[in-house]
Amino acid sequence: MSTLQSTELATPAGPLAVVVDPDDGVVVAAGFGDRDVLWARLAPELQSRGRTRGARSTAMQVVSEAVAAYADGELDALEKVEVRQPGGPFQQEAWSAMRRVRAGRTVSYQELAALAGRPSAVRAAGSACARNLVAPFVPCHRILRSDGRLGGYAFGLDVKAVLLRHEGVVLARDPDVTRPER
């Protein structure tokens, strides 16, 4: 198994830290902010592989191009990037459901639970958002409270708002979000 590769990429919401497994080109961690904080969230077996910073392998180039395309307005570019993260069956279903929520759209935590096959598992849907290790490739920023407000986001509500605005979601002056037509 190869050393994991990490880099930071420019996005409309600021630097995006990305960790890629060069063996299969899959993103295993991503998020806004410090790479060391992101690294600390990884499972010990991944951390034990070590990492190379600022990597420019073919796998990282594919991810870099997708992020650049997203930043330039090709809002579905991140959907093409393969991701992998540990989690139970419901979390995997919830993450898969999040990837089906297209840019410019939002759903509530309740709607996410239903999309993941367990309509009553609203708290578990919120937990899946909180445990997402590969944002924005798994777009948990598109999940809102039932009243349309932003809710939470591990990287801050300002980052969530910037991502949603970039994707064409109209935001009110306060942290509430006006939901687009579905």
Side-chain angles (χ1 to χ4, degrees):
M1 291 188 158
S2 301
T3 301
L4 298 177
Q5 299 174 344
S6 71
T7 196
E8 287 184 355
L9 304 168
T11 76
L16 175 68
V18 179
V19 179
V20 171
D21 183 339
D23 292 341
D24 56 12
V26 173
V27 172
V28 295
F32 298 91
D34 189 293
R35 281 188 270 186
D36 292 332
V37 172
L38 182 65
W39 184 258
R41 292 183 66 197
L42 285 176
E45 60 270 12
L46 287 175
Q47 289 181 8
S48 70
R49 290 175 59 183
R51 65 180 159 165
T52 302
R53 293 178 183 229
R56 286 290 165 200
S57 66
T58 302
M60 188 61 80
Q61 188 61 34
V62 168
V63 174
S64 298
E65 289 172 3
V67 172
Y70 173 80
D72 287 342
E74 188 182 322
L75 300 178
D76 63 349
L78 300 183
E79 296 170 15
K80 301 169 191 164
V81 175
E82 291 188 52
V83 298
R84 179 178 57 245
Q85 59 183 323
F90 179 77
Q91 288 175 325
Q92 297 296 332
E93 285 298 323
W95 294 327
S96 178
M98 283 180 223
R99 289 199 95 180
R100 293 191 303 271
V101 178
R102 298 293 175 241
R105 307 269 191 238
T106 61
V107 299
S108 69
Y109 293 102
Q110 185 174 22
E111 291 167 318
L112 175 62
L115 288 170
R118 289 190 27 212
S120 63
V122 178
R123 288 181 191 251
S127 180
C129 288
R131 288 189 170 88
N132 179 18
L133 290 175
V134 289
F137 301 98
V138 172
C140 55
H141 63 277
R142 297 178 189 155
I143 314 305
L144 307 177
R145 292 171 35 144
S146 294
D147 62 7
R149 292 190 307 162
L150 291 177
Y153 193 59
F155 309 106
L157 293 182
D158 289 343
V159 170
K160 186 172 186 171
V162 167
L163 290 170
L164 290 171
R165 280 191 203 103
H166 176 67
E167 294 176 358
V169 175
V170 178
L171 301 176
R173 291 183 187 188
D174 61 0
D176 292 348
V177 173
T178 302
R179 295 174 60 174
E181 295 278 331
R182 283 190 225 154

